[in-house]
Amino acid sequence: MYWEKELETIDRKNLERLQLERLQQTLRQAANSPHYGRIPEIGRYVQSGMASIEQVHALPFTTKEQMRQDFPWGFLAADKKEVVRLHSSSGTTGNPTVVYHNKHDLDSWTNLMARSLFAAGVRDTDVFQNICGYGLFTGGLGFQYGVEKLGCLSIPAGAGNSLRQIKLMRDFGTTVAHVIPSYLGRLFDVFQEEGLDPRKDTQLHTLVIGAEPHTEEHRLRIEAMFGVKAYNSFGLSEMNGPGVAFECAEQNGLHIWEDAYLVEIIDPETLQPVADGQIGELVMTTLDRQAMPVVRYRTRDLTRFLPGACPCGRTHRRIDRISGRSDDMFIIKGCNVFPMQIEGILMKLPEVGEDYRILLETIADQDEMIVEVEVKKEWFKGDLAFLERLQKQITHLVRDEVLVRPRIRLVAAGSIPKAEGKAQRVFDHRKT
Ligand code: ADP
Ligand code: ZN
């Protein structure tokens, strides 16, 4: 069952033909923007045309820094009159970047969203609650229009206010919800405080989780807590937002929609393509955007192509869950550490609660990694010998994984401050 069978199951040869056509159209359009208008390679291909999509490698990359430098209009490739909406990134790692859409762009994005949700099994009979920020953040309106196009009853709940979220779910029989994974722990705690069990007291069967890195262990935990299937949704505002890559019912990686994006994975050091199946930085070119085409955008997200065909029949390649951003990695005592390595360990332990954070501090002239770990209420009861054992166990597991001995600080469930939107995992207070 497909949303658009022909496009979703297109064979490689026809897909590449379509990509080449769309890439050339994209370059012609991009050349109208002040930024790409200055780039000689783009001008050259607009003049001579492209023989194959491989030639994309000859084009320069686009970076977030360039988008910031050319703020606010430098990437706009259409008449302002045509533009009907702008979005900007949440600015997790600095100043936001802005993206413009005309009507065609919004239709195309909406369609990708509907296609993605359909692939994850969402149908027009579902009641869909969108629990995330509306406004400039793309997760709000991006999902909203996709869900409406699919034909579900949509509940544009917005972020926060867990009691209200639970009431909406129960009053209207929500069957699917889109939620940032780091918020789900909080939501579950509130269910419990109210004496409710989401597995019995709601009709939820599916959660769509995305917008921030999370591990397979975290997903399994979410599925068990809520009694649902949880599907991974990936996107970034520079590439519209959600609807870039999505898991199908097989839950075996995320189909990245190759009719709308040309996808490369490169080594962030050498900037050359990695060998097939190797982890590298995702680089993407929009293929169906008019107001603001983006060529070879360096997402800084790390992933790999997964081998083999998907049993669902969709031919668009699958990427692995994002293991982190290249700029998430920190170095402590000479070791490279990604927060997701630590999350993977914590989420496997049943005593560990829903949240954690990593503090990097200088203590007596030594750099130290302190991991604050929430412990579930039923385990955090003053049995000091038990807590000591747990602390030791986590210390060993983390040290074996990242090769640095951490200081583990066990804290009560709910005591780590929650971010408004995406969770910040690492706080670096080291003296340089
Ligand atoms: P910002 O870059 O300011 O956070 P966005 O809201 O555009 O702005 O966020 C996009 C980023 O969020 C992606 O580049 C990626 O790092 C992260 N992200 C989005 N979806 C996922 C996902 N499913 N898994 C991991 N990371 C994700
Ligand atoms: Zn599939």
Side-chain angles (χ1 to χ4, degrees):
M1 287 278 280
Y2 308 100
W3 180 249
E4 295 160 290
K5 182 159 194 280
E6 223 169 276
L7 272 174
E8 289 174 60
T9 60
I10 188 170
D11 66 54
R12 209 71 222 164
K13 213 170 96 222
N14 284 322
L15 177 63
E16 288 184 6
R17 195 175 297 148
L18 177 69
Q19 287 182 319
L20 181 60
E21 203 178 284
R22 289 186 167 185
L23 177 60
Q24 301 194 81
Q25 177 55 35
T26 296
L27 296 183
R28 281 195 292 276
Q29 184 68 15
N32 296 329
S33 71
H35 177 84
Y36 291 118
R38 291 195 292 267
I39 295 180
E41 290 91 333
I42 299 227
R44 225 172 293 137
Y45 280 120
V46 168
Q47 285 294 317
S48 63
M50 266 186 164
S52 80
I53 46 168
E54 302 306 318
Q55 288 181 314
V56 76
H57 298 303
L59 295 170
F61 294 104
T62 303
T63 62
K64 206 169 182 106
E65 289 66 37
Q66 290 170 348
M67 286 192 166
R68 285 181 184 141
Q69 274 162 16
D70 269 335
F71 182 87
W73 304 110
F75 278 78
L76 182 60
D79 199 329
K80 262 189 217 164
K81 199 165 120 291
E82 240 190 72
V83 178
V84 293
R85 197 196 302 163
L86 68 80
H87 274 286
S88 83
S89 74
S90 55
T92 318
T93 54
N95 290 329
T97 45
V98 63
V99 176
Y100 303 100
H101 302 276
N102 68 10
K103 286 188 179 155
H104 166 88
D105 301 334
L106 291 180
D107 284 347
S108 164
W109 178 18
T110 297
N111 191 56
L112 289 175
M113 267 319 304
R115 183 199 286 179
S116 299
L117 290 165
F118 195 91
V122 183
R123 294 291 179 270
D124 58 4
T125 43
D126 279 306
V127 179
F128 193 107
Q129 189 163 332
N130 193 17
I131 308 184
C132 78
Y134 278 66
L136 291 174
F137 177 56
T138 54
L141 292 178
F143 269 88
Q144 183 61 36
Y145 288 112
V147 167
E148 287 178 12
K149 175 147 186 148
L150 191 52
C152 308
L153 167 55
S154 65
I155 309 180
N161 198 343
S162 305
L163 280 176
R164 187 162 142 268
Q165 299 289 358
I166 294 171
K167 182 159 165 40
L168 286 169
M169 273 182 193
R170 287 164 48 83
D171 286 348
F172 301 109
T174 299
T175 54
V176 187
H178 167 229
V179 196
I180 293 181
S182 60
Y183 178 63
L184 277 168
R186 171 75 198 132
L187 189 62
F188 185 74
D189 286 345
V190 177
F191 265 104
Q192 287 202 311
E193 284 160 22
E194 295 299 297
L196 296 170
D197 178 349
R199 287 167 300 190
K200 298 200 196 88
D201 300 313
T202 73
Q203 294 176 49
L204 277 178
H205 58 67
T206 299
L207 287 173
V208 174
I209 54 174
E212 60 185 13
H214 55 283
T215 51
E216 182 63 19
E217 289 76 12
H218 194 179
R219 182 240 289 273
L220 293 174
R221 209 175 232 256
I222 288 169
E223 292 191 330
M225 283 192 301
F226 287 87
V228 296
K229 287 271 173 210
Y231 294 93
N232 195 347
S233 147
F234 169 76
L236 60 159
S237 46
E238 292 80 359
M239 295 290 127
N240 292 343
V244 171
F246 225 89
E247 278 182 330
C248 68
E250 304 289 333
Q251 290 185 308
N252 57 355
L254 300 90
H255 288 285
I256 189 156
W257 300 125
E258 296 186 85
D259 56 328
Y261 304 99
L262 192 64
V263 186
E264 305 166 64
I265 296 183
I266 63 161
D267 178 326
E269 300 292 322
T270 64
L271 306 183
Q272 295 305 308
V274 295
D276 236 8
Q278 295 299 302
I279 291 190
E281 178 180 343
L282 188 65
V283 169
M284 302 184 75
T285 302
T286 61
L287 292 177
D288 195 24
R289 214 163 62 189
Q290 298 176 347
M292 188 174 147
V294 178
V295 177
R296 302 195 85 197
Y297 182 66
R298 291 191 59 182
T299 65
R300 302 189 283 189
D301 290 320
L302 301 174
T303 184
R304 63 188 176 117
F305 284 122
L306 294 171
C310 185
C312 79
R314 291 180 181 80
T315 49
H316 299 238
R317 279 180 293 179
R318 286 166 298 125
I319 55 168
D320 206 349
R321 67 173 56 255
I322 305 293
S323 51
R325 296 195 195 201
S326 52
D327 43 12
D328 263 356
M329 192 194 77
F330 58 88
I331 300 178
I332 180 127
K333 296 183 176 173
C335 296
N336 299 353
V337 181
F338 281 99
M340 286 306 112
Q341 292 177 281
I342 295 176
E343 176 176 308
I345 292 168
L346 298 178
M347 291 297 142
K348 263 190 227 153
L349 300 171
E351 303 89 347
V352 167
E354 300 314 318
D355 211 357
Y356 68 96
R357 62 178 176 175
I358 301 164
L359 310 170
L360 305 178
E361 296 191 356
T362 308
I363 302 173
D365 286 338
Q366 287 279 332
D367 284 347
E368 298 288 346
M369 174 171 74
I370 299 163
V371 186
E372 271 187 4
V373 182
E374 287 190 0
V375 177
K376 285 185 188 151
K377 228 200 260 150
E378 60 269 36
W379 303 95
F380 200 72
K381 278 203 181 127
D383 178 349
L384 286 183
F386 165 78
L387 290 175
E388 228 167 78
R389 274 201 307 280
L390 180 62
Q391 192 181 32
K392 271 205 187 117
Q393 184 192 7
I394 300 177
T395 306
H396 287 149
L397 290 171
V398 172
R399 194 201 46 206
D400 289 351
E401 170 70 29
V402 304
L403 309 177
V404 174
R405 189 183 172 84
R407 295 187 182 202
I408 302 297
R409 198 181 282 162
L410 301 180
V411 299
S415 64
I416 293 180
K418 303 280 173 284
E420 258 289 296
K422 303 187 186 201
Q424 187 183 347
R425 299 301 190 189
V426 183
F427 297 82
D428 193 344
H429 304 303
R430 285 176 290 188
K431 299 191 189 105
T432 43

